[in-house]
Amino acid sequence: MGKGGKAASAAEEAAELLGSEEFRPFQGDSFDAASFASRSLSESHTTAAAQTEALQAGVSALDGALRGLVLRHQDELVAQTARLAEAEAAVQRLGLSVRSLQMVASRVRAEIAEPYAQIAARTRQLRNLQATVDLLRHIVHRLKLVQKLRTQMAAADSGGILEVAKAAKLLSEIAAVDGEADLSGVDVVDADAEFLQTAAAVVRSQTEAALKAGLECLSQADVGSALQVLFNLGELRQGVEEIADQAAAAAGRELAAALDPRKLSSAAAGGARGGGAGAGGAPAKAHDALWDKLGAALEHLQKSAIQLWHLQRVLAKKRDPLSHTLFLDVVAPEEGDPLPLDRFWSRAIAALSDAFAAAFGTARGGFVRDTLVAGYPRLAGLLEGAVARALRDSATRDVAPALDEEQISAVLEAAGDFQNAYLAASLARLGEAASAAFPGSSRALPTAADLQRTIARVHEELKAASGSPRLALLVAATVGKALGMMAQKAEYMAASGPDLRAVSPGSACNPAQLRNISLCNCLQEVHRSVGGMLGRLPPAAAEALAAPLGELQAAAIEAVAPTFRAMVDAGEELLLQMHATPAYTAGAAGAPAGADAAVTDTSPCVRGLGRLLAHCRLEYLTKFNPSPASPVPSVGRALVERMAARLVLFAVRHASLLRPLPQAGKLQLAKDLSELEAAVGQHLLPLEQLGAPARALRAFRRLLFLEAPKVEASPLLRELPRPEVVHHLYSRAPPQLESPHARSGLTPAQYSLWLDGHSQEEALKFIRTALDACAAKARDAPGYEELAPLMRRLTAPPS
């Protein structure tokens, strides 16, 4: 085995020895030889000599292992020893270099210490000299500025605002110099302090005077020059805000003084004594003084608003000639900052509201509150007049007016307590008048005097507010409530029951019908009187009254509608007898020649209708006021028009349903329709005033004798309902082509009710269905090929 193997074996043996239980205690950091020996002797069963030998053997083994390791790494250990020697040599050389550097640093320190001290001393001297020179420069510059200011102030008496503007610029520059350097304690500077204070006071006082004068005469040049002074002083924003605040505060003080009951009473008492009037004249003088001072206060508010508007207008145009800064940007630099006019209105409106609220809630001097509540229309007129004058005076192109919509509303609502109290009192007065005329019970109807008092009260309320569009609208709403109350109570006063429908040629107007007609006349009179005022009211107020007047008219119609419905029903019952009148179908099957000349009498149904209409005119229609026959619009006339139109169209409808209708029947029908026209015109109203129903009646009479091929191109089709035209053509068709109602098993009366509940398009569709259903069995009948295609075209839906 070589040396390497022996060394490895020794190392392994040493590792085993170190890991054995005997030698492990020697490896601990806290090993104590005495303790180990004592413990070995007491615990071991061997002798000390044996233990010593064992330890020496282990030490020998360890020495051998160490020797083997050293031999194994001998080359490495030698190389490391050589490197350590080189490192020691390098350290020695570095020490020499450090000592040389220390010596050089000591020499440099010794050489520059004295020059550095000299440089530091000279630097301090230079710094002090520069500070002194800068201070002197500021002092000299300040003295020059002060001298210029003295010159400008000397010329200010004759130079006016332009010289003061230059003086303000000099004051601003002097203040800038004072801000750049601390000149306190300098005698020449302190000597000018009193002069500068005096000069600043003079400049500000002249600027305020010039600005006030420029605003009073609304001179853009004077106001712009004064603003330039404030800009030069650096006080533009502060000065403008003070102007707005002072103007708002002054307006509030003026109004508070005008509403102060003690001052008004004192002035009235003093005026009464001075004028020799009795004590009874003091309240009247106090009221006059209240309105005079209130008008003056609102006029002052309007003038202040125009002055602030003019100030803001100049701010929006004026720029500093040197920096080109817009003055309005200085006053309101941020986007959300209020403009001067907005600042004024916010404070002025708050002052107005506070002054009016204090006057309304004051415990003493209640005559102010009572006077303004009773005369609120005059107060509203003063407020709206002030607003209108402000808008008129600020109406300039490309410039916003002095107030916007929100500010206008706020100014007008500043006296909201008085407005609410006035409207409440107005509603109470109107309600009392309405209840007096229409108590809402079954007692006697209102007399003419009650009705006139109610109408007069409504006229007074509307007339009092007519000068103010805004108040007129509010009062119109109050009047509308009163009208609605009248309509509701009139419904309670109206009679009801079957007596209202008791209409026949031999019956007279019963008490229930007479009561409702009289009630309708009362409501009609109120409607006519109030409606006559609409043209003199502002459009918004007139529009607000439209719905309440409609309620009043609806109540009037509702009171007499059952009676008119009964008259119409009675007339329809008579017209339905047309289908049982033999004269219309006489001669249908081979009538003798010359039968046409026998048509001389009116049919019984039409004669009965004439008697009915005459009876209705005498017993019912003559009791309406105004008369339905007069051209004056009224509820009675409207109902008569509807009644006449219904009866005329009903007659045309059932005349078209007559079948068969020979030539003699046509002549009889034409005569009866002429008599119907005369009866309606004589007892209801002329047919010319009915419009479309009258034209339909006359067109149908001509249609009776119009040949079938000419019907489609006839202008009569434009005047007649299309279903009635087709119904009449059925009278010329063969019997196999059944009428629509006959095919469906309906009587003419039932079919008429069906037509009332359906549109014209639905009726034509119903007729077209009947035509198609009967086409097969009627195709070979004589006359079918002539009439059926024409009837289909007339019932065809529009393309």
PDB file of all heavy atoms in Angstrom, residues 443-468:
ATOM      1  N   ARG A 443    -132.422  73.057  -2.159  1.00  0.00           N
ATOM      2  CA  ARG A 443    -133.148  74.295  -1.910  1.00  0.00           C
ATOM      3  C   ARG A 443    -133.324  75.050  -3.224  1.00  0.00           C
ATOM      4  O   ARG A 443    -132.866  74.621  -4.281  1.00  0.00           O
ATOM      5  CB  ARG A 443    -132.425  75.166  -0.888  1.00  0.00           C
ATOM      6  CG  ARG A 443    -130.973  75.421  -1.250  1.00  0.00           C
ATOM      7  CD  ARG A 443    -130.346  76.422  -0.322  1.00  0.00           C
ATOM      8  NE  ARG A 443    -130.399  77.751  -0.930  1.00  0.00           N
ATOM      9  CZ  ARG A 443    -129.826  78.824  -0.404  1.00  0.00           C
ATOM     10  NH1 ARG A 443    -129.206  78.733   0.745  1.00  0.00           N
ATOM     11  NH2 ARG A 443    -129.893  79.974  -1.018  1.00  0.00           N
ATOM     12  N   ALA A 444    -133.940  76.217  -3.113  1.00  0.00           N
ATOM     13  CA  ALA A 444    -134.253  76.986  -4.319  1.00  0.00           C
ATOM     14  C   ALA A 444    -132.982  77.354  -5.084  1.00  0.00           C
ATOM     15  O   ALA A 444    -131.892  77.483  -4.513  1.00  0.00           O
ATOM     16  CB  ALA A 444    -135.029  78.250  -3.929  1.00  0.00           C
ATOM     17  N   LEU A 445    -133.155  77.504  -6.361  1.00  0.00           N
ATOM     18  CA  LEU A 445    -132.016  77.860  -7.220  1.00  0.00           C
ATOM     19  C   LEU A 445    -131.578  79.292  -6.948  1.00  0.00           C
ATOM     20  O   LEU A 445    -132.341  80.096  -6.384  1.00  0.00           O
ATOM     21  CB  LEU A 445    -132.426  77.696  -8.683  1.00  0.00           C
ATOM     22  CG  LEU A 445    -132.755  76.275  -9.122  1.00  0.00           C
ATOM     23  CD1 LEU A 445    -133.246  76.281 -10.560  1.00  0.00           C
ATOM     24  CD2 LEU A 445    -131.554  75.371  -8.977  1.00  0.00           C
ATOM     25  N   PRO A 446    -130.338  79.644  -7.335  1.00  0.00           N
ATOM     26  CA  PRO A 446    -129.852  81.001  -7.066  1.00  0.00           C
ATOM     27  C   PRO A 446    -130.679  82.043  -7.809  1.00  0.00           C
ATOM     28  O   PRO A 446    -131.108  81.835  -8.951  1.00  0.00           O
ATOM     29  CB  PRO A 446    -128.412  80.972  -7.561  1.00  0.00           C
ATOM     30  CG  PRO A 446    -128.348  79.833  -8.506  1.00  0.00           C
ATOM     31  CD  PRO A 446    -129.316  78.824  -7.988  1.00  0.00           C
ATOM     32  N   THR A 447    -130.871  83.155  -7.125  1.00  0.00           N
ATOM     33  CA  THR A 447    -131.564  84.273  -7.763  1.00  0.00           C
ATOM     34  C   THR A 447    -130.608  85.006  -8.684  1.00  0.00           C
ATOM     35  O   THR A 447    -129.391  84.779  -8.683  1.00  0.00           O
ATOM     36  CB  THR A 447    -132.091  85.229  -6.691  1.00  0.00           C
ATOM     37  OG1 THR A 447    -130.977  85.782  -5.967  1.00  0.00           O
ATOM     38  CG2 THR A 447    -133.015  84.500  -5.713  1.00  0.00           C
ATOM     39  N   ALA A 448    -131.158  85.900  -9.463  1.00  0.00           N
ATOM     40  CA  ALA A 448    -130.320  86.683 -10.370  1.00  0.00           C
ATOM     41  C   ALA A 448    -129.326  87.531  -9.600  1.00  0.00           C
ATOM     42  O   ALA A 448    -128.176  87.707 -10.025  1.00  0.00           O
ATOM     43  CB  ALA A 448    -131.203  87.560 -11.265  1.00  0.00           C
ATOM     44  N   ALA A 449    -129.747  88.015  -8.433  1.00  0.00           N
ATOM     45  CA  ALA A 449    -128.849  88.837  -7.617  1.00  0.00           C
ATOM     46  C   ALA A 449    -127.685  87.999  -7.089  1.00  0.00           C
ATOM     47  O   ALA A 449    -126.519  88.431  -7.117  1.00  0.00           O
ATOM     48  CB  ALA A 449    -129.618  89.485  -6.467  1.00  0.00           C
ATOM     49  N   ASP A 450    -127.985  86.784  -6.582  1.00  0.00           N
ATOM     50  CA  ASP A 450    -126.909  85.894  -6.102  1.00  0.00           C
ATOM     51  C   ASP A 450    -125.934  85.579  -7.228  1.00  0.00           C
ATOM     52  O   ASP A 450    -124.705  85.565  -7.039  1.00  0.00           O
ATOM     53  CB  ASP A 450    -127.506  84.597  -5.558  1.00  0.00           C
ATOM     54  CG  ASP A 450    -128.333  84.837  -4.298  1.00  0.00           C
ATOM     55  OD1 ASP A 450    -128.086  85.855  -3.617  1.00  0.00           O
ATOM     56  OD2 ASP A 450    -129.219  84.015  -4.017  1.00  0.00           O
ATOM     57  N   LEU A 451    -126.496  85.305  -8.382  1.00  0.00           N
ATOM     58  CA  LEU A 451    -125.643  84.949  -9.515  1.00  0.00           C
ATOM     59  C   LEU A 451    -124.760  86.119  -9.935  1.00  0.00           C
ATOM     60  O   LEU A 451    -123.561  85.946 -10.211  1.00  0.00           O
ATOM     61  CB  LEU A 451    -126.526  84.505 -10.676  1.00  0.00           C
ATOM     62  CG  LEU A 451    -125.881  83.609 -11.730  1.00  0.00           C
ATOM     63  CD1 LEU A 451    -125.405  82.319 -11.093  1.00  0.00           C
ATOM     64  CD2 LEU A 451    -126.873  83.309 -12.833  1.00  0.00           C
ATOM     65  N   GLN A 452    -125.308  87.313  -9.947  1.00  0.00           N
ATOM     66  CA  GLN A 452    -124.529  88.476 -10.346  1.00  0.00           C
ATOM     67  C   GLN A 452    -123.448  88.791  -9.314  1.00  0.00           C
ATOM     68  O   GLN A 452    -122.351  89.222  -9.678  1.00  0.00           O
ATOM     69  CB  GLN A 452    -125.448  89.680 -10.548  1.00  0.00           C
ATOM     70  CG  GLN A 452    -126.333  89.581 -11.782  1.00  0.00           C
ATOM     71  CD  GLN A 452    -125.518  89.338 -13.046  1.00  0.00           C
ATOM     72  OE1 GLN A 452    -124.477  89.957 -13.272  1.00  0.00           O
ATOM     73  NE2 GLN A 452    -126.005  88.415 -13.884  1.00  0.00           N
ATOM     74  N   ARG A 453    -123.754  88.585  -8.034  1.00  0.00           N
ATOM     75  CA  ARG A 453    -122.727  88.807  -7.014  1.00  0.00           C
ATOM     76  C   ARG A 453    -121.580  87.815  -7.186  1.00  0.00           C
ATOM     77  O   ARG A 453    -120.406  88.173  -7.042  1.00  0.00           O
ATOM     78  CB  ARG A 453    -123.348  88.682  -5.618  1.00  0.00           C
ATOM     79  CG  ARG A 453    -124.098  89.922  -5.167  1.00  0.00           C
ATOM     80  CD  ARG A 453    -124.378  89.871  -3.675  1.00  0.00           C
ATOM     81  NE  ARG A 453    -125.322  88.811  -3.341  1.00  0.00           N
ATOM     82  CZ  ARG A 453    -126.639  88.962  -3.305  1.00  0.00           C
ATOM     83  NH1 ARG A 453    -127.177  90.154  -3.591  1.00  0.00           N
ATOM     84  NH2 ARG A 453    -127.429  87.961  -2.987  1.00  0.00           N
ATOM     85  N   THR A 454    -121.907  86.587  -7.481  1.00  0.00           N
ATOM     86  CA  THR A 454    -120.853  85.581  -7.701  1.00  0.00           C
ATOM     87  C   THR A 454    -120.010  85.937  -8.918  1.00  0.00           C
ATOM     88  O   THR A 454    -118.769  85.886  -8.876  1.00  0.00           O
ATOM     89  CB  THR A 454    -121.484  84.194  -7.892  1.00  0.00           C
ATOM     90  OG1 THR A 454    -122.257  83.870  -6.741  1.00  0.00           O
ATOM     91  CG2 THR A 454    -120.415  83.145  -8.110  1.00  0.00           C
ATOM     92  N   ILE A 455    -120.668  86.302  -9.998  1.00  0.00           N
ATOM     93  CA  ILE A 455    -119.933  86.671 -11.209  1.00  0.00           C
ATOM     94  C   ILE A 455    -119.094  87.917 -10.962  1.00  0.00           C
ATOM     95  O   ILE A 455    -117.936  88.016 -11.420  1.00  0.00           O
ATOM     96  CB  ILE A 455    -120.918  86.888 -12.370  1.00  0.00           C
ATOM     97  CG1 ILE A 455    -121.603  85.553 -12.735  1.00  0.00           C
ATOM     98  CG2 ILE A 455    -120.215  87.466 -13.583  1.00  0.00           C
ATOM     99  CD1 ILE A 455    -122.725  85.701 -13.743  1.00  0.00           C
ATOM    100  N   ALA A 456    -119.664  88.882 -10.233  1.00  0.00           N
ATOM    101  CA  ALA A 456    -118.906  90.107  -9.933  1.00  0.00           C
ATOM    102  C   ALA A 456    -117.667  89.793  -9.108  1.00  0.00           C
ATOM    103  O   ALA A 456    -116.596  90.382  -9.333  1.00  0.00           O
ATOM    104  CB  ALA A 456    -119.806  91.098  -9.191  1.00  0.00           C
ATOM    105  N   ARG A 457    -117.788  88.861  -8.158  1.00  0.00           N
ATOM    106  CA  ARG A 457    -116.612  88.490  -7.352  1.00  0.00           C
ATOM    107  C   ARG A 457    -115.534  87.866  -8.236  1.00  0.00           C
ATOM    108  O   ARG A 457    -114.341  88.180  -8.103  1.00  0.00           O
ATOM    109  CB  ARG A 457    -117.047  87.522  -6.252  1.00  0.00           C
ATOM    110  CG  ARG A 457    -115.901  86.882  -5.461  1.00  0.00           C
ATOM    111  CD  ARG A 457    -114.929  87.891  -4.920  1.00  0.00           C
ATOM    112  NE  ARG A 457    -115.560  88.840  -4.027  1.00  0.00           N
ATOM    113  CZ  ARG A 457    -114.964  89.930  -3.568  1.00  0.00           C
ATOM    114  NH1 ARG A 457    -113.731  90.228  -3.979  1.00  0.00           N
ATOM    115  NH2 ARG A 457    -115.599  90.755  -2.757  1.00  0.00           N
ATOM    116  N   VAL A 458    -115.918  86.975  -9.134  1.00  0.00           N
ATOM    117  CA  VAL A 458    -114.938  86.373 -10.045  1.00  0.00           C
ATOM    118  C   VAL A 458    -114.289  87.446 -10.902  1.00  0.00           C
ATOM    119  O   VAL A 458    -113.062  87.459 -11.107  1.00  0.00           O
ATOM    120  CB  VAL A 458    -115.615  85.299 -10.924  1.00  0.00           C
ATOM    121  CG1 VAL A 458    -114.652  84.786 -11.980  1.00  0.00           C
ATOM    122  CG2 VAL A 458    -116.119  84.144 -10.067  1.00  0.00           C
ATOM    123  N   HIS A 459    -115.075  88.366 -11.420  1.00  0.00           N
ATOM    124  CA  HIS A 459    -114.521  89.445 -12.246  1.00  0.00           C
ATOM    125  C   HIS A 459    -113.550  90.298 -11.449  1.00  0.00           C
ATOM    126  O   HIS A 459    -112.484  90.685 -11.960  1.00  0.00           O
ATOM    127  CB  HIS A 459    -115.671  90.305 -12.777  1.00  0.00           C
ATOM    128  CG  HIS A 459    -116.358  89.701 -13.959  1.00  0.00           C
ATOM    129  ND1 HIS A 459    -117.008  90.434 -14.907  1.00  0.00           N
ATOM    130  CD2 HIS A 459    -116.499  88.408 -14.354  1.00  0.00           C
ATOM    131  CE1 HIS A 459    -117.517  89.642 -15.828  1.00  0.00           C
ATOM    132  NE2 HIS A 459    -117.229  88.398 -15.501  1.00  0.00           N
ATOM    133  N   GLU A 460    -113.890  90.610 -10.210  1.00  0.00           N
ATOM    134  CA  GLU A 460    -113.008  91.440  -9.390  1.00  0.00           C
ATOM    135  C   GLU A 460    -111.673  90.750  -9.148  1.00  0.00           C
ATOM    136  O   GLU A 460    -110.617  91.386  -9.220  1.00  0.00           O
ATOM    137  CB  GLU A 460    -113.699  91.758  -8.065  1.00  0.00           C
ATOM    138  CG  GLU A 460    -114.867  92.735  -8.187  1.00  0.00           C
ATOM    139  CD  GLU A 460    -115.589  92.909  -6.861  1.00  0.00           C
ATOM    140  OE1 GLU A 460    -115.098  92.344  -5.855  1.00  0.00           O
ATOM    141  OE2 GLU A 460    -116.614  93.599  -6.829  1.00  0.00           O
ATOM    142  N   GLU A 461    -111.707  89.456  -8.827  1.00  0.00           N
ATOM    143  CA  GLU A 461    -110.463  88.734  -8.557  1.00  0.00           C
ATOM    144  C   GLU A 461    -109.591  88.679  -9.810  1.00  0.00           C
ATOM    145  O   GLU A 461    -108.373  88.899  -9.748  1.00  0.00           O
ATOM    146  CB  GLU A 461    -110.764  87.318  -8.059  1.00  0.00           C
ATOM    147  CG  GLU A 461    -111.532  87.257  -6.757  1.00  0.00           C
ATOM    148  CD  GLU A 461    -110.751  87.801  -5.576  1.00  0.00           C
ATOM    149  OE1 GLU A 461    -109.514  87.859  -5.652  1.00  0.00           O
ATOM    150  OE2 GLU A 461    -111.386  88.173  -4.571  1.00  0.00           O
ATOM    151  N   LEU A 462    -110.193  88.390 -10.948  1.00  0.00           N
ATOM    152  CA  LEU A 462    -109.412  88.311 -12.185  1.00  0.00           C
ATOM    153  C   LEU A 462    -108.919  89.687 -12.623  1.00  0.00           C
ATOM    154  O   LEU A 462    -107.780  89.827 -13.084  1.00  0.00           O
ATOM    155  CB  LEU A 462    -110.251  87.678 -13.297  1.00  0.00           C
ATOM    156  CG  LEU A 462    -110.574  86.189 -13.138  1.00  0.00           C
ATOM    157  CD1 LEU A 462    -111.508  85.740 -14.246  1.00  0.00           C
ATOM    158  CD2 LEU A 462    -109.300  85.355 -13.157  1.00  0.00           C
ATOM    159  N   LYS A 463    -109.746  90.698 -12.466  1.00  0.00           N
ATOM    160  CA  LYS A 463    -109.351  92.039 -12.870  1.00  0.00           C
ATOM    161  C   LYS A 463    -108.225  92.570 -11.999  1.00  0.00           C
ATOM    162  O   LYS A 463    -107.298  93.234 -12.486  1.00  0.00           O
ATOM    163  CB  LYS A 463    -110.559  92.973 -12.801  1.00  0.00           C
ATOM    164  CG  LYS A 463    -110.266  94.385 -13.299  1.00  0.00           C
ATOM    165  CD  LYS A 463    -111.522  95.239 -13.251  1.00  0.00           C
ATOM    166  CE  LYS A 463    -111.206  96.668 -13.728  1.00  0.00           C
ATOM    167  NZ  LYS A 463    -112.415  97.527 -13.674  1.00  0.00           N
ATOM    168  N   ALA A 464    -108.283  92.268 -10.693  1.00  0.00           N
ATOM    169  CA  ALA A 464    -107.231  92.744  -9.792  1.00  0.00           C
ATOM    170  C   ALA A 464    -105.871  92.164 -10.150  1.00  0.00           C
ATOM    171  O   ALA A 464    -104.840  92.811  -9.960  1.00  0.00           O
ATOM    172  CB  ALA A 464    -107.584  92.388  -8.351  1.00  0.00           C
ATOM    173  N   ALA A 465    -105.850  90.946 -10.691  1.00  0.00           N
ATOM    174  CA  ALA A 465    -104.574  90.290 -11.011  1.00  0.00           C
ATOM    175  C   ALA A 465    -104.210  90.397 -12.482  1.00  0.00           C
ATOM    176  O   ALA A 465    -103.167  89.876 -12.894  1.00  0.00           O
ATOM    177  CB  ALA A 465    -104.639  88.808 -10.619  1.00  0.00           C
ATOM    178  N   SER A 466    -105.039  91.053 -13.274  1.00  0.00           N
ATOM    179  CA  SER A 466    -104.790  91.054 -14.719  1.00  0.00           C
ATOM    180  C   SER A 466    -103.536  91.834 -15.100  1.00  0.00           C
ATOM    181  O   SER A 466    -102.979  91.611 -16.177  1.00  0.00           O
ATOM    182  CB  SER A 466    -106.001  91.647 -15.452  1.00  0.00           C
ATOM    183  OG  SER A 466    -106.241  92.988 -15.016  1.00  0.00           O
ATOM    184  N   GLY A 467    -103.084  92.740 -14.247  1.00  0.00           N
ATOM    185  CA  GLY A 467    -101.884  93.512 -14.585  1.00  0.00           C
ATOM    186  C   GLY A 467    -100.596  92.737 -14.438  1.00  0.00           C
ATOM    187  O   GLY A 467     -99.545  93.191 -14.897  1.00  0.00           O
ATOM    188  N   SER A 468    -100.643  91.571 -13.797  1.00  0.00           N
ATOM    189  CA  SER A 468     -99.445  90.756 -13.568  1.00  0.00           C
ATOM    190  C   SER A 468     -99.658  89.384 -14.193  1.00  0.00           C
ATOM    191  O   SER A 468    -100.507  88.612 -13.729  1.00  0.00           O
ATOM    192  CB  SER A 468     -99.179  90.610 -12.065  1.00  0.00           C
ATOM    193  OG  SER A 468     -98.229  89.605 -11.807  1.00  0.00           O
TER     194      SER A 468
END
